[in-house]
Amino acid sequence: MDNLYIAPTPTTPEVDFQFDTHVLSLRGESYPENAAAFYGGIIAQLKDYLARHQGGKIEVNIALAYFNSSSTKMLFNLIEALHAAVEAGCQVNLHWYHDEDDDTILEFGQELSEDFPAIAFSSHAVRPS
């Protein structure tokens, strides 16, 4: 399966899914005009990868400085797919990076960890650059 790389734009995050090393990363800001269109293909490829990688270990890094409400729903769908993989026997370590002064993104990460307790979730505060 080919890796997936989408370069960042002012409104979309960098997507770097290294399926061959089982490291998936999202970085940047997410407020695309059509979040369903942007994330739809990404989530489809993720689900395809997860179906082929049953029982393995996956590292997920999410470092979003901002995301809008439609991106929130897509992130939820992405993490829901990871949760289903955990229930099917995968080990998923999700690293959630947030600005140390951004309570909104911190709290969203906390909500995700509560909604999907089977995922090994760790939160990392970072200083703004």
Side-chain angles (χ1 to χ4, degrees):
M1 173 169 208
D2 292 336
N3 292 327
L4 172 65
Y5 181 79
I6 301 172
T9 71
T11 61
T12 60
E14 175 185 54
V15 178
D16 190 9
F17 283 10
Q18 299 291 317
F19 296 121
D20 57 344
T21 58
H22 316 293
V23 178
L24 317 177
S25 301
L26 289 174
R27 292 182 208 91
E29 296 189 356
S30 182
Y31 51 100
E33 187 170 319
N34 185 338
F38 179 76
Y39 282 100
I42 295 167
I43 293 171
Q45 287 194 43
L46 174 64
K47 287 181 176 178
D48 185 38
Y49 160 74
L50 293 172
R52 297 170 189 225
H53 188 64
Q54 294 182 359
K57 182 178 176 183
I58 304 164
E59 295 290 325
V60 180
N61 302 300
I62 299 178
L64 296 174
Y66 173 79
F67 45 90
N68 63 6
S69 58
S70 58
S71 293
T72 300
K73 184 174 190 297
M74 295 296 106
L75 286 171
F76 192 88
N77 291 345
L78 187 145
I79 293 171
E80 190 171 50
L82 292 168
H83 186 258
V86 171
E87 290 182 336
C90 281
Q91 179 183 346
V92 175
N93 297 319
L94 193 156
H95 303 276
W96 183 261
Y97 296 90
H98 63 90
D99 183 312
E100 66 182 2
D101 296 327
D102 192 330
D103 292 338
T104 302
I105 292 180
L106 169 64
E107 290 169 6
F108 183 71
Q110 290 171 335
E111 289 175 22
L112 290 174
S113 71
E114 292 168 6
D115 289 343
F116 302 106
I119 295 175
F121 191 97
S122 57
S123 181
H124 307 274
V126 294
R127 291 180 180 235
S129 53

